[in-house]
Amino acid sequence: MDQLLQLQKDLGARIRSYRKAKLYNIEDLAHLADLNPAHLGKIERGERNLTLGTLLKIANALDVSLSELLDLERPVEKEEEPIISKTVACLRELTLGEQEHIYKTARLFSRNK
């Protein structure tokens, strides 16, 4: 197998590992990265060469740096609180007013415990 194809496969597997560590399904990550889910699936399987722009979108959606995503020697660690990370990612897409409403609702839940 040539080096470029092996790199595509390794990088795709790393993206999939980060996605799973954050408890995202492929549609979740595709939405956050503004990518087509089928295209993202091909990237994860190493079937597509990706641009730096696409790689940056994926890194941002996963909330990791490019250097961390590209460090193929470093193991992907499972996040301790993936639900919080997923919630924060969703909140980033909302207006400030919507974020405040959700925050107030969360406070009500936490006070009732």
Side-chain angles (χ1 to χ4, degrees):
M1 183 178 306
D2 76 15
Q3 283 185 313
L4 180 59
L5 184 57
Q6 186 60 51
L7 179 60
Q8 283 176 208
K9 288 188 177 296
D10 292 346
L11 185 55
R14 186 159 180 85
I15 290 168
R16 177 177 283 145
S17 293
Y18 270 108
R19 176 176 60 78
K20 289 184 174 186
K22 294 188 180 274
L23 301 182
Y24 289 140
N25 62 37
I26 201 150
E27 289 82 11
D28 290 337
L29 181 57
H31 173 74
L32 290 170
D34 194 28
L35 297 171
N36 179 291
H39 181 67
L40 179 58
K42 290 176 183 178
I43 289 170
E44 287 188 352
R45 291 188 300 275
E47 297 171 3
R48 285 284 185 267
N49 198 358
L50 65 160
T51 66
L52 286 175
T54 299
L55 188 60
L56 184 58
K57 285 181 177 184
I58 293 169
N60 288 338
L62 291 169
D63 198 28
V64 298
S65 67
L66 272 177
S67 61
E68 190 175 350
L69 192 57
L70 291 169
D71 187 354
L72 300 176
E73 301 299 316
R74 183 174 166 188
V76 174
E77 295 180 18
K78 188 168 184 176
E79 201 168 302
E80 289 185 32
E81 298 179 327
I83 298 300
I84 291 174
S85 294
K86 287 174 74 169
T87 303
V88 168
C90 289
L91 287 171
R92 286 186 180 130
E93 296 182 5
L94 303 177
T95 66
L96 185 58
E98 291 167 332
Q99 290 173 6
E100 189 171 332
H101 181 72
I102 291 172
Y103 168 73
K104 287 177 181 177
T105 303
R107 283 192 64 200
L108 288 174
F109 278 106
S110 68
R111 286 183 182 161
N112 290 330
K113 288 197 171 200

